[in-house]
Amino acid sequence: MSDPHSGVAPIREEFLAKPEQAERKRKPKERGQNKKRSKVSVREENALCPAISVGKECPFQSNCKFGHDVEVYLSQKEPDLGEKCVNFETYGICPAGYKCRWLSGHVKLNEDGKHELVEKPDSKFGLTMLNAVDKNVQKKLRTKQLDLSKAERMISIVLGEEKPKSNDQNIQESPKQEVNGTRDQNQDQTLADNNDPKAVKEDGPESQATETPQKQDEGEGNHKVTTDGIHKQSRSDVLLPTLRPQEKRRIDWKGRKILAPLTTVGNPPFRRLCGSLGADTFYTEMAMCQPLMQGHQPEWALVRGINTEREIMPSGRKGILGIQLACSKLWQGVKTAQVIAENCDGADFLDLNCGCPIDLVFRQGAGSSLLESPSRLIRNLQGIDAISGTIPTTVKLRTGNREDHPVVNKLLSRIHQETNTSAAVLHGRSRQQRYSKLANWEYVKDCASNIRKLNEGIEDLPEGSLRTQPLAFIGNGDCYSWEDWYEGMDTGVDTTMIARGALVKPWIFEEIDARQYIDKSSTQRLEILQEYCNNGLQYWGSDAQGINTTRRFFLEFMSFFHRYTPIALFEVARPRLNQRPPLYNARDEMEGMLASTNVNDWLKLSERFLGPTPSRFNFTPKHKSNSIEEAEG
């Protein structure tokens, strides 16, 4: 029996490389990450106008900086990569138009001898982008012209500077609020009114979009936390506008197959791939509230989703999509939540990241830094949940910042008692651990037991309490097989979240449904990579720029996907996520290439689906061990 803590995967002897093979193939490897990675965007030199490329008139006419002559453009365009365009074959229309690198599949010569785009009858592109915030809204954020008076007032209420005021118009009486057993005789305004811009007015002048309330920072310093001290920090004596139980959207978290928020690799094409393999709950990549409130377009691109993520999944459940936010200050989270609630059409829930261990995020006071300031964390959750209308709020946590000092169990009690958070996710590691050592599922089990007891006493909460629903509890950490998932469920959690395990083995969701290991052959794994590339071409486009983007994220995906070791090669029946195999002989040549740690081999794989790599293309892997040099076309 292998030791799960050893970090070495037990490979069957007949597949192990011979000593002389190992010596010949072994190369010196660096450790750590390439933190300053270059990214070259490959663009066409004689680019065609985007409007003209799809057969429309250009609104800029002679002022357009792009070319308008289709025939000249096609004469200079690089040769097609093939005859079958995945977009045209799937939907009968290609959004890239004349720019498509598979143009021959949907173009013809007309009577005048000129090229003309072809569309199938009743064709309609079936991929719809969700949460695409209008450029005018982003511009108003950059110029501080967006009306965020509702958020400003909500911040004042959360900080106890103002009490909710009833509006004589369009307001229904809500229950009297009770905080810490003290009745308040004033009627609360419901959050439904907060979603109406006419229902909330500031007494003072309109605030700017990114202005930080001065009084918010008072008393919000970083405090060292002990488990005994969490409850001693006084709860804010505030009354929050809240929806009645039937008005706040409910989510049934029990047994959901959740794909965790994954930086860089958790993009819509990958989420769509996992959805086709059985996942039914998705998160966007983590977005920082500060650049969002500055109207930073690349940051707003992170909150986007696609319609397939909210459709009926293979399991029969409707897919749901959450937007994950990271913030340090109350004003950042509340104002961002208002913008999302008013401008995003595909957010099923908002998630506050309180577990990110990255130094850059931690030093800004966001991510796992909030674990050191429980009162600030609670206020952020209260404000985001109050301003977000019917959209539920969730929170993602780690056990604490130090390995020997977990603080989350008692913090979860505060989250249950002082917020109406729909679900809490606990990654069973501390910030100090990052991803080393095994996740502490015993601690997750203790927290699950605590939450279960609190939920049983929900009927005894004071009248007017913010808590109108049970708090769902989700475990996370080291889930790499169907056995890991069901073992996690046995700890008493509502469901188990899957993160890195899905990057290495996206079909883990199929294994959970089948309750058995599925050993994908090299051919089947190539089909998965083909599907990922097709998803990328449909999302980013089948033109030169879209192919470049798809190739770059394909290589990011391969930095995890290559770690899969076929189950048939193991001595034991249950591989672990933290275990890496010694050098072994693959069962066929393609299996060996898929398992290669060299980024240049990944580049060759990309050329099977995306054509030759342009000479200007370069890619630096995240992990130094994958390549000593950059991969170039």
Side-chain angles (χ1 to χ4, degrees):
M1 183 68 77
S2 67
D3 180 8
H5 299 273
S6 67
V8 179
I11 299 298
R12 290 164 58 183
E13 187 175 352
E14 59 265 35
F15 291 105
L16 287 174
K18 296 179 180 179
E20 56 270 21
Q21 289 179 302
E23 287 298 327
R24 187 170 63 252
K25 293 183 179 180
R26 185 176 289 116
K27 297 180 180 180
K29 292 186 178 181
E30 298 183 56
R31 295 178 62 87
Q33 296 183 357
N34 293 305
K35 296 187 177 180
K36 294 183 179 180
R37 298 195 288 168
S38 60
K39 183 174 67 174
V40 176
S41 180
V42 180
R43 299 179 183 273
E44 295 177 303
E45 294 181 358
N46 301 311
L48 185 66
C49 171
I52 299 296
S53 68
V54 293
K56 297 180 180 179
E57 291 187 7
C58 175
F60 302 103
Q61 298 299 325
S62 59
N63 294 325
C64 183
K65 63 180 180 180
F66 299 105
H68 282 193
D69 193 319
V70 173
E71 300 305 317
V72 172
Y73 168 77
L74 292 179
S75 67
Q76 300 174 348
K77 183 183 173 187
E78 293 185 8
D80 281 356
L81 299 175
E83 297 181 354
K84 288 189 176 183
C85 169
V86 62
N87 290 321
F88 184 77
E89 293 294 320
T90 306
Y91 302 112
I93 186 173
C94 177
Y98 292 110
K99 291 184 174 184
C100 179
R101 294 299 309 279
W102 291 267
L103 177 62
S104 57
H106 51 86
V107 72
K108 66 178 182 179
L109 292 175
N110 59 21
E111 297 176 353
D112 299 327
K114 294 185 177 180
H115 291 85
E116 184 178 309
L117 293 174
V118 175
E119 294 182 8
K120 293 181 180 179
D122 301 323
S123 61
K124 181 180 179 182
F125 192 64
L127 211 61
T128 305
M129 191 173 295
L130 305 175
N131 306 328
V133 176
D134 190 86
K135 290 184 178 180
N136 291 328
V137 174
Q138 296 182 36
K139 182 178 179 180
K140 287 183 178 180
L141 286 170
R142 287 193 294 272
T143 56
K144 301 181 179 180
Q145 294 178 348
L146 192 66
D147 180 14
L148 295 172
S149 55
K150 285 198 305 183
E152 292 284 359
R153 180 168 178 248
M154 188 60 63
I155 291 165
S156 297
I157 293 173
V158 173
L159 294 176
E161 299 169 357
E162 178 184 343
K163 292 184 179 181
K165 297 177 182 178
S166 296
N167 192 317
D168 294 333
Q169 300 177 353
N170 304 323
I171 190 167
Q172 300 176 0
E173 286 190 356
S174 57
K176 295 178 181 179
Q177 298 294 314
E178 183 175 15
V179 180
N180 289 342
T182 304
R183 287 284 229 186
D184 181 45
Q185 300 302 319
N186 295 325
Q187 298 293 330
D188 268 353
Q189 178 181 339
T190 65
L191 189 55
D193 296 317
N194 288 328
N195 288 331
D196 182 2
K198 299 179 182 179
V200 181
K201 296 181 180 179
E202 289 283 297
D203 294 330
E206 193 171 292
S207 300
Q208 299 297 331
T210 57
E211 180 184 0
T212 307
Q214 296 298 319
K215 294 184 180 181
Q216 178 191 338
D217 292 331
E218 296 177 7
E220 283 199 5
N222 290 334
H223 303 292
K224 295 296 181 181
V225 180
T226 63
T227 51
D228 295 332
I230 289 180
H231 280 302
K232 294 180 182 179
Q233 298 193 40
S234 61
R235 175 183 172 182
S236 300
D237 189 16
V238 296
L239 302 173
L240 290 176
T242 183
L243 291 176
R244 291 185 291 272
Q246 66 271 26
E247 293 175 315
K248 197 72 172 177
R249 192 183 305 156
R250 293 289 187 93
I251 297 177
D252 179 13
W253 296 96
K254 195 69 178 178
R256 279 196 168 271
K257 293 189 279 296
I258 304 176
L259 177 65
L262 301 163
T263 304
T264 305
V265 283
N267 46 60
F270 177 73
R271 301 199 300 263
R272 186 181 179 190
L273 171 68
C274 290
S276 69
L277 294 170
D280 56 33
T281 304
F282 310 93
Y283 286 75
T284 64
E285 298 176 63
M286 182 185 73
M288 299 294 295
C289 289
Q290 177 78 356
L292 288 177
M293 294 312 301
Q294 293 171 343
H296 190 49
Q297 192 276 332
E299 203 72 19
W300 277 108
L302 297 178
V303 308
R304 293 177 186 167
I306 47 180
N307 57 308
T308 57
E309 296 176 277
R310 304 181 75 215
E311 295 176 350
I312 302 300
M313 296 298 163
S315 63
R317 301 184 79 165
K318 184 180 182 298
I320 56 176
L321 173 65
I323 295 177
Q324 188 179 64
L325 304 173
C327 65
S328 60
K329 306 289 186 182
L330 174 63
W331 71 269
Q332 296 170 349
V334 174
K335 290 184 177 182
T336 303
Q338 180 189 333
V339 177
I340 290 174
E342 294 176 351
N343 296 279
C344 292
D345 56 353
D348 291 300
F349 60 95
L350 297 180
D351 182 74
L352 178 62
N353 184 310
C354 300
C356 180
I358 298 174
D359 292 340
L360 180 64
V361 176
F362 183 84
R363 288 167 186 161
Q364 294 178 9
S368 57
S369 176
L370 289 173
L371 299 175
E372 294 186 345
S373 302
S375 293
R376 185 153 55 100
L377 187 156
I378 295 295
R379 283 196 292 270
N380 285 346
L381 284 175
Q382 289 175 339
I384 291 172
D385 192 64
I387 199 72
S388 61
T390 59
I391 303 175
T393 304
T394 64
V395 60
K396 194 168 188 292
L397 308 155
R398 282 192 176 230
T399 58
N401 283 323
R402 300 205 310 271
E403 183 179 356
D404 60 345
H405 193 66
V407 298
V408 163
N409 205 344
K410 290 189 176 181
L411 178 57
L412 283 168
S413 298
R414 288 194 64 183
I415 291 173
H416 187 280
Q417 294 165 7
E418 301 177 38
T419 75
N420 195 32
T421 306
S422 174
V425 182
L426 178 59
H427 184 174
R429 288 185 175 90
S430 65
R431 175 181 182 266
Q432 184 182 18
Q433 287 177 269
R434 296 292 179 98
Y435 298 98
S436 64
K437 300 184 180 180
L438 297 177
N440 187 352
W441 275 92
E442 282 300 316
Y443 188 76
V444 174
K445 184 176 181 179
D446 292 341
C447 293
S449 177
N450 179 31
I451 293 296
R452 186 165 56 252
K453 292 176 183 177
L454 291 170
N455 284 336
E456 290 172 355
I458 197 170
E459 299 296 332
D460 300 328
L461 290 174
E463 182 182 355
S465 171
L466 294 180
R467 173 64 52 190
T468 62
Q469 58 184 328
L471 175 64
F473 186 60
I474 301 166
N476 174 223
D478 296 335
C479 186
Y480 182 52
S481 68
W482 67 273
E483 290 182 290
D484 293 333
W485 194 85
Y486 283 103
E487 270 194 10
M489 294 293 287
D490 290 340
T491 62
V493 298
D494 289 277
T495 190
T496 304
M497 176 181 282
I498 303 170
R500 290 177 298 156
L503 291 171
V504 179
K505 187 170 63 175
W507 61 93
I508 184 176
F509 304 102
E510 291 182 329
E511 291 188 347
I512 292 170
D513 287 334
R515 290 179 178 259
Q516 66 179 24
Y517 288 98
I518 300 175
D519 191 5
K520 297 279 187 180
S521 66
S522 57
T523 302
Q524 290 173 310
R525 281 185 278 160
L526 279 177
E527 291 173 354
I528 288 176
L529 293 178
Q530 176 73 75
E531 182 178 351
Y532 177 82
C533 289
N534 290 346
N535 293 345
L537 294 172
Q538 291 178 1
Y539 182 74
W540 289 302
S542 56
D543 58 348
Q545 186 175 353
I547 293 173
N548 170 60
T549 305
T550 302
R551 193 188 307 274
R552 182 164 62 86
F553 283 107
F554 173 90
L555 296 174
E556 298 281 9
F557 176 34
M558 279 301 302
S559 68
F560 289 92
F561 192 71
H562 82 277
R563 299 180 187 177
Y564 174 72
T565 304
I567 188 69
L569 274 59
F570 280 90
E571 280 186 342
V572 296
R574 184 177 181 181
R576 299 283 184 173
L577 183 59
N578 68 313
Q579 294 178 331
R580 299 293 182 87
L583 192 64
Y584 64 89
N585 294 314
R587 294 173 293 184
D588 58 63
E589 183 179 355
M590 182 51 63
E591 188 171 83
M593 192 170 189
L594 287 169
S596 173
T597 60
N598 192 327
V599 68
N600 290 300
D601 287 333
W602 308 345
L603 207 58
K604 292 177 184 177
L605 283 170
S606 76
E607 293 178 344
R608 296 175 65 97
F609 315 112
L610 303 172
T613 306
S615 58
R616 291 169 292 166
F617 179 88
N618 75 333
F619 175 77
T620 306
K622 181 177 181 180
H623 302 282
K624 293 180 180 179
S625 60
N626 292 131
S627 180
I628 297 176
E629 299 178 353
E630 295 181 354
E632 296 183 355

